[in-house]
Amino acid sequence: MIINTSKTLSYILRHRPDKFNIKVDKYGWANVDNVLNELNIDLEHLNEVVKENDKKRFSFNEDKTMIRANQGHSFKVDLGLKKIVPPFILYHGTKKDHVDSIMKKGLSSMTRNHVHLSEDIDTAHIVASRRKGEDAILEIKAREMYSDGVDIFLSENGVYLTKFVDSKYIK
């Protein structure tokens, strides 16, 4: 039940709060009581979903009256992300059948606000394995991107975010 609740919560907070009659403010925060009512769960269950989520997708505010997704939104939201100096190399997990296109066009955020990058290969493999097909791990020259003026951010749960990765930074 935790996995189903987590998937529904991701869908609500990252993509379609309107479909569930949930209001999300410009910072991505939704009222916990409204979420509990829409999901028909109690606070204990919601706490477990937030705590057990393997990617730490969700955060509560200090008094646990509001909840939000840490990244992955397909609608405009201000997460208060701070620009950072990234490691020299970051990774992106995808599928082999996408590599040729990526190497020609770069990595775009598509329907989301950012491209998601990982600090380690294992995390990139986990991301890639969520879709069907053979995994491919791309090495991203993140520090070079940063040196060239590309903004890179770090979300609360350790995901590196950027708007676009030009193919010249991909190996």
Side-chain angles (χ1 to χ4, degrees):
M1 185 162 158
I2 289 175
I3 291 173
N4 288 340
T5 303
S6 180
K7 286 181 178 185
T8 304
L9 188 61
S10 281
Y11 184 68
I12 291 170
L13 297 178
R14 296 166 80 184
H15 306 296
R16 293 299 307 270
D18 57 307
K19 202 169 183 184
F20 290 83
N21 204 27
I22 300 287
K23 290 194 180 356
V24 174
D25 72 14
K26 71 179 188 173
Y27 303 106
W29 294 106
N31 181 283
V32 166
D33 289 336
N34 294 343
V35 171
L36 295 175
N37 288 335
E38 279 301 312
L39 293 177
N40 197 26
I41 60 172
D42 60 23
L43 184 57
E44 184 178 330
H45 183 74
L46 186 60
N47 280 326
E48 194 172 349
V49 168
V50 172
K51 181 180 168 196
E52 298 299 321
N53 186 272
D54 62 337
K55 292 185 78 180
K56 304 297 179 205
R57 282 193 173 104
F58 315 108
S59 294
F60 286 112
N61 66 347
E62 287 185 25
D63 63 1
K64 290 192 174 183
T65 58
M66 304 294 278
I67 187 170
R68 75 175 178 182
N70 289 320
Q71 87 284 322
H73 299 82
S74 58
F75 57 90
K76 188 174 168 93
V77 62
D78 178 1
L79 296 174
L81 297 170
K82 305 276 189 263
K83 295 178 195 176
I84 54 103
V85 177
F88 284 93
I89 300 295
L90 290 171
Y91 301 93
H92 180 80
T94 189
K95 293 299 175 186
K96 280 203 173 176
D97 56 347
H98 298 297
V99 172
D100 286 343
S101 175
I102 291 169
M103 294 309 290
K104 289 176 189 162
K105 300 176 185 174
L107 274 170
S108 69
S109 59
M110 315 246 321
T111 62
R112 299 192 183 186
N113 293 333
H114 297 98
V115 174
H116 295 194
L117 304 172
S118 307
E119 193 165 11
D120 60 87
I121 293 172
D122 290 340
T123 301
H125 269 295
I126 291 168
V127 171
S129 68
R130 293 192 173 153
R131 292 183 174 67
K132 292 179 183 176
E134 192 175 348
D135 292 356
I137 305 303
L138 305 175
E139 192 175 283
I140 310 300
K141 299 178 217 167
R143 185 68 63 86
E144 189 177 325
M145 285 175 55
Y146 170 81
S147 295
D148 289 347
V150 177
D151 293 337
I152 299 176
F153 308 92
L154 184 61
S155 71
E156 283 187 41
N157 60 335
V159 177
Y160 290 84
L161 306 169
T162 191
K163 292 287 185 188
F164 176 75
V165 179
D166 189 291
S167 59
K168 70 182 180 181
Y169 301 115
I170 302 171
K171 182 174 161 188

